């Protein structure tokens, strides 16, 4: 590698991911040396002198070049990361809540102090998605990004497709360690929404508030829905979608009904499959484990190696861009016991549910909100209007 | 980008790919400037002063930092590239014949003259496969690589799956510009074998002679084969496969019969889908257009951007490693009119063809050679013994 430098790091948070990063680096073979590990309580088996429970031991130590933030959640991660960047230390994190909430100010802080802020593992777990997104856009214009970015919900939908029910599938996902501590962040689409906001920010140089991304989750999906989809040759996946517009961008999260001949429909278990459409490249898809200790820790180590070798890409300047989903229209599956709420909406009967004619995403998400206030068990899924291979949008060969 | 430098380049060969690279760079917006374009005959519409038909105008020009070789074939590409590296110029090429034939000496030449040799587009067309393979192995150990790396044969097999016959599908592929000038390099698996050798070389730091990779192609595939596979729920794809061994490596190319629930089975048209299995990452797959002017030119431009920003990865030191496929065993489909040649081989009747019990790859490829001498229309396909998700071989989550 040209310009290899030894990198001295501290790891904040010795949980699944932080512990995984330590395990990958402890022999020093990669030229990256762990000098401090911070957690609330002493860690058994750690080398002498590494442990601290005091952030000041890290921030004020000039020998530490880089901090791996593996605490998760917004606080105290935000203050730790802010302090590290102010001290001129690089930061690597997989924290999607932190990045989706504070990307723009953190990037400014990093630039001011000539530090790098990398967060590849915040979207896609072990998939090198954000790295490739940034690399591709150096020489191409990205038109859209879409895909499966939540391992827990994919695991659950895959298991339900094999006959399991929601609660059993969720228990399995938790037992395998894929699910977040609070499963509702996964099931309600909150995690996917954050990853959509981060992906759209980097793809389109935009400040995207996660809360401005309309989101439908899968907590109300039932066996009857999955069976109905199967009868129509469709597979249900929780997807994010974002597309460049003129003065706005399109961005939403919803369960999508995919034809069986698509790549995304064949994403099993806790895997993720994420696609960018470039004017020159057309569709490029990236597939791998979207959750789990080893892949996520590995993605963090790859960020560290990029910093150590100066092989990082230009950070985009972000400007606020509003989300507007009025232009995107496609059919929706709506299952509700309160049929009177669907009066005036045209469509086809699917085992007692309604498959609508194409509707604007904005209108459907507003309708879904109204229906769910009266029927929390209602379930909604879109039939994607986009072309998985980007044929309509990118340059023809 | 840190350390951006303007890069002055020459393009040798103004065909589909070379012309595509010129079109992407002509406005100079990426900080990469085309200073010379070489071809046999003058090029209409080129800016004044750019054209030359004399390689010396490029090699002896100290203002040119980097050469894009887009001639294809072994000669004169090899002498042009060798001369450029000797003059200390970086080289970017998509020429798989050149790279599979001469990777080790070219890399040595590049290192001696402190020049970079990049060839991402030589495998996978527009898929950032070799880039990600090199990036991943910095911090992970790669156990195997496999996938679809030839756009023409994938286009043909996909079209045959939709009812077209071989010759009509081939004509379509040629009309779309996916097929090489000589289609037999695609159909007989020669192109795939070269890409297998290049991928294995980078994955396992090995000098792999393309001719040491046993290869079966698809020139004898017929509608009856495709129909038989469909009856058994299988899809036929031409695949490369390579796996790390102790003192040897496993490497072969053959038509593979894939279950419909695999990712690779859903690779349409001229797309490629290529997978690495890492100890930490597990399966990582990369999907995109494997042929065509825009994606291939874009991949070359990405290599140029890596050189311009010093964002390139350590080149492996290559040592000779023998290919040994004795240990890999799986069932094979064999269709031949000379049934007497199959005597003593156990198996199941598949519409008059034989599905064998698991056989060693070495043994089957030797048998296939013997059968094809007497029956050139015989067709062979393997039922992969490897796990698409690498579950058996990589670290569990």
């Amino acid at each position: 590698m040209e310009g290899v430098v030894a990198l001295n790091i501290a790891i904040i948070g010795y949980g699944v991911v932080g512990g995984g990063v330590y395990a990958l680096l402890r022999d020093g073979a990669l030229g990256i040396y762990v000098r401090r590990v911070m957690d609330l309580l002493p860690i058994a088996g750690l080398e002498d002198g590494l442990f601290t429970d005091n952030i000041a031991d890290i921030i004020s130590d000039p020998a530490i070049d880089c901090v791996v933030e593996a605490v998760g959640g917004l606080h105290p991660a935000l203050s730790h990361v802010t302090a590290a960047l102010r001290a001129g230390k690089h930061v690597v994190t997989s924290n999607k809540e932190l990045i989706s909430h504070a990307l723009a100010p953190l990037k400014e802080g990093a630039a001011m102090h000539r530090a790098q802020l990398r967060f590849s593992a915040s979207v896609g777990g072990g998939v090198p998605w954000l790295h490739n997104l940034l690399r591709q856009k150096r020489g191409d214009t990205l038109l859209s990004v879409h895909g499966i970015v939540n391992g827990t919900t994919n695991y659950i939908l895959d298991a339900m497709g094999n006959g399991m029910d929601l609660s059993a599938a969720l228990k399995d996902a938790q037992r395998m360690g894929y699910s977040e501590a609070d499963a509702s962040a996964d099931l309600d689409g909150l995690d996917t929404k954050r990853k959509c906001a981060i992906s759209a920010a980097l793809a389109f140089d935009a400040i995207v508030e996660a809360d401005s991304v309309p989101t439908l989750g899968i907590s109300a999906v039932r066996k009857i829905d999955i069976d109905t989809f199967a009868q129509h040759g469709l597979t249900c996946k929780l997807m994010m979608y974002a597309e460049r517009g003129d003065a706005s961008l399109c961005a939403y999260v919803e369960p999508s009904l995919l034809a069986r001949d698509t790549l995304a429909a064949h994403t099993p278990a806790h895997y993720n499959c994420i696609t960018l459409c470039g004017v020159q490249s057309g569709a490029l898809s990236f597939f791998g484990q979207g959750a789990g200790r080893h892949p996520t820790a590995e993605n963090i180590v790859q960020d560290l190696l990029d910093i150590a070798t100066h092989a990082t890409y230009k950070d985009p300047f972000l400007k606020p861009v509003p989300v507007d989903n009025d232009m995107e229209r496609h059919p929706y599956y709506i299952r509700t016991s309160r049929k009177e709420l669907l009066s005036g909406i045209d469509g086809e009967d699917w085992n007692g549910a309604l498959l609508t004619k194409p509707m604007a995403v904005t209108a459907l998400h507003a309708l879904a909100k109204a229906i769910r206030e009266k029927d929390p068990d209602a379930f909604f899924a879109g039939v994607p209007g986009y072309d998985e291979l980007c044929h309509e949008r990118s340059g023809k060969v």
Side-chain angles (χ1 to χ4, degrees), chain A residues 3 18 56 80 135 171 177 210 254 274 281 307 357 390:
Chain A
H80 291 347
R135 183 172 188 264
K171 266 183 207 138
E254 61 191 26
I274 328 175
S281 66
I307 290 174
K357 303 244 191 275
C390 324

Side-chain angles (χ1 to χ4, degrees), chain A residues 155 159 164 167-178:
Chain A
Y155 184 91
M164 207 176 269
S167 62
L170 173 60
K171 266 183 207 138
D172 259 19
Q174 286 172 322
R175 192 173 48 77
M176 312 278 274
Y178 303 144

Side-chain angles (χ1 to χ4, degrees), chain A residues 8-281:
Chain A
N8 292 297
I9 72 161
I11 298 172
I12 306 182
Y14 195 79
V16 170
V17 171
V21 172
Y22 177 72
L24 284 174
L25 297 176
R26 64 183 303 171
D27 68 4
L30 295 177
I32 300 171
Y33 305 98
V34 181
R35 301 302 186 193
R36 282 284 182 179
V37 178
M38 179 179 153
D39 212 315
L40 298 176
L41 294 171
I43 299 157
L46 209 62
E47 227 174 282
D48 277 357
L50 285 190
F51 178 78
T52 179
D53 57 7
N54 184 356
I55 187 69
D57 287 344
I58 292 170
I59 302 302
S60 65
D61 183 347
I64 291 174
D65 308 307
C66 179
V67 168
V68 172
E69 182 278 307
V71 180
L74 199 50
H75 300 291
L78 179 59
S79 68
H80 291 347
V81 167
T82 304
L85 291 172
R86 273 199 196 129
K89 300 183 193 309
H90 309 300
V91 170
V92 175
T93 178
S94 61
N95 188 330
K96 48 250 175 191
E97 187 170 355
L98 174 69
I99 295 297
S100 66
H101 183 82
L103 177 56
L106 288 176
K107 271 174 38 60
E108 277 169 28
M112 190 178 302
H113 300 283
R114 296 177 165 278
Q116 298 267 350
L117 171 68
R118 317 305 301 172
F119 44 88
S120 296
S122 68
V123 183
V127 182
W129 161 243
L130 293 180
H131 166 81
N132 278 284
L133 185 160
L134 284 175
R135 183 172 188 264
Q136 192 61 29
K137 77 194 281 264
R138 300 178 309 171
D140 202 352
T141 300
L142 303 191
L143 300 171
S144 67
V145 293
H146 68 265
I148 299 165
V149 291
N150 180 275
T152 306
T153 50
N154 200 68
Y155 184 91
I156 290 170
L157 290 168
D158 193 35
M160 289 180 76
N162 294 324
M164 207 176 269
D165 73 16
L166 178 67
S167 62
L170 173 60
K171 266 183 207 138
D172 259 19
Q174 286 172 322
R175 192 173 48 77
M176 312 278 274
Y178 303 144
S179 183
E180 307 282 316
D182 178 5
S184 67
D186 291 319
L187 293 178
D188 295 339
L190 180 58
D191 179 80
T192 301
K193 171 165 92 170
R194 288 172 178 151
K195 290 166 175 172
C196 183
I198 295 170
S199 300
L202 294 195
F204 310 128
D205 302 346
I207 297 174
V208 182
E209 301 290 340
D211 285 339
S212 71
V213 178
T215 297
L216 292 166
I218 64 155
S219 49
V221 71
R222 297 291 175 266
K223 197 167 176 316
I224 184 176
D225 303 312
I226 301 292
D227 290 347
T228 302
F229 304 150
Q231 283 164 23
H232 288 86
L234 298 169
T235 300
C236 184
K237 298 289 190 185
L238 184 61
M239 306 276 283
M240 69 163 193
Y241 184 72
E243 183 179 352
R244 177 189 298 274
D246 289 331
S248 63
L249 59 83
C250 175
Y252 57 91
V253 169
E254 61 191 26
S256 288
L257 305 182
L258 306 178
R260 291 275 163 81
D261 62 355
T262 58
L263 206 67
H266 297 278
T267 303
H270 62 293
Y271 284 77
N272 285 185
C273 183
I274 328 175
T275 299
L276 64 84
C277 293
V279 170
Q280 300 301 329
S281 66

